[in-house]
Amino acid sequence: IDMSAFLSEVDNRQTPARISPGEDLSGPELRQIVMDKWKYPLEIRIHRRRDAFGKMTIWLQVMWKHLWEQSFPMSEDEYNAQLDAVAWYLSDWGLSDFVRQEIKDTTQNPGLTVNGGARTVLIPLALSADQIKMMYDNTD
């Protein structure tokens, strides 16, 4: 097995093709896009994780929790501030149009499973090592 070809294919699958920055994304627009897709103001966050090969990857994570739940851990002001921050980063990274389209096109749905687990929607964000280091200065 040619591992270099395999690793290259893994990288290609994690890198969205032909990303154009588009108009800046705002917190209220991000909230509306999510509500149009899933009918609830779901929690959105930027999430980092290492893949199976130890490479740091950054994702937009759509959680199963939403603002209208009594147990939601944020006030509406905190929720809006978080959406504003996420939208700012996505715009700064030139991923606004990519995220708009990915949310619209995904067939995944966040929610609770029958066994008591939870499903999130993960959208891979193609960031350079420098962009990742700027956000997480202890990342290699």
Side-chain angles (χ1 to χ4, degrees):
I1 296 177
D2 180 4
M3 284 305 287
S4 63
F6 174 74
L7 293 173
S8 176
E9 180 63 23
V10 169
D11 282 344
N12 287 340
R13 289 182 182 200
Q14 291 180 347
T15 305
R18 295 174 288 150
I19 295 175
S20 61
E23 299 267 334
D24 282 354
L25 187 62
S26 68
E29 181 189 1
L30 184 57
R31 179 177 178 164
Q32 190 60 52
I33 292 168
V34 167
M35 288 188 63
D36 289 347
K37 179 70 178 187
W38 292 293
K39 311 296 183 227
Y40 293 97
L42 298 166
E43 183 179 356
I44 309 290
R45 59 173 72 165
I46 294 171
H47 179 70
R48 69 178 175 163
R49 63 170 43 173
R50 291 200 184 277
D51 66 14
F53 305 103
K55 179 181 174 187
M56 183 63 68
T57 56
I58 307 296
W59 304 78
L60 181 68
Q61 184 177 34
V62 182
M63 304 293 287
W64 67 96
K65 301 179 282 183
H66 61 83
L67 180 62
W68 299 335
E69 289 178 342
Q70 189 172 1
S71 63
F72 192 70
M74 290 184 264
S75 69
E76 187 158 4
D77 287 342
E78 291 167 329
Y79 173 76
N80 289 332
Q82 179 168 318
L83 285 179
D84 287 341
V86 168
W88 182 87
Y89 275 110
L90 295 172
S91 296
D92 190 56
W93 293 332
L95 296 172
S96 300
D97 279 353
F98 170 74
V99 167
R100 286 180 184 105
Q101 196 62 47
E102 284 295 304
I103 290 174
K104 180 181 172 194
D105 292 348
T106 188
T107 57
Q108 300 176 57
N109 290 305
L112 299 175
T113 64
V114 227
N115 300 326
R119 273 188 327 269
T120 63
V121 173
L122 290 171
I123 298 171
L125 302 177
L127 299 178
S128 70
D130 289 341
Q131 288 171 312
I132 293 172
K133 283 182 183 180
M134 193 176 353
M135 187 164 186
Y136 302 103
D137 54 25
N138 64 344
T139 302
D140 49 320

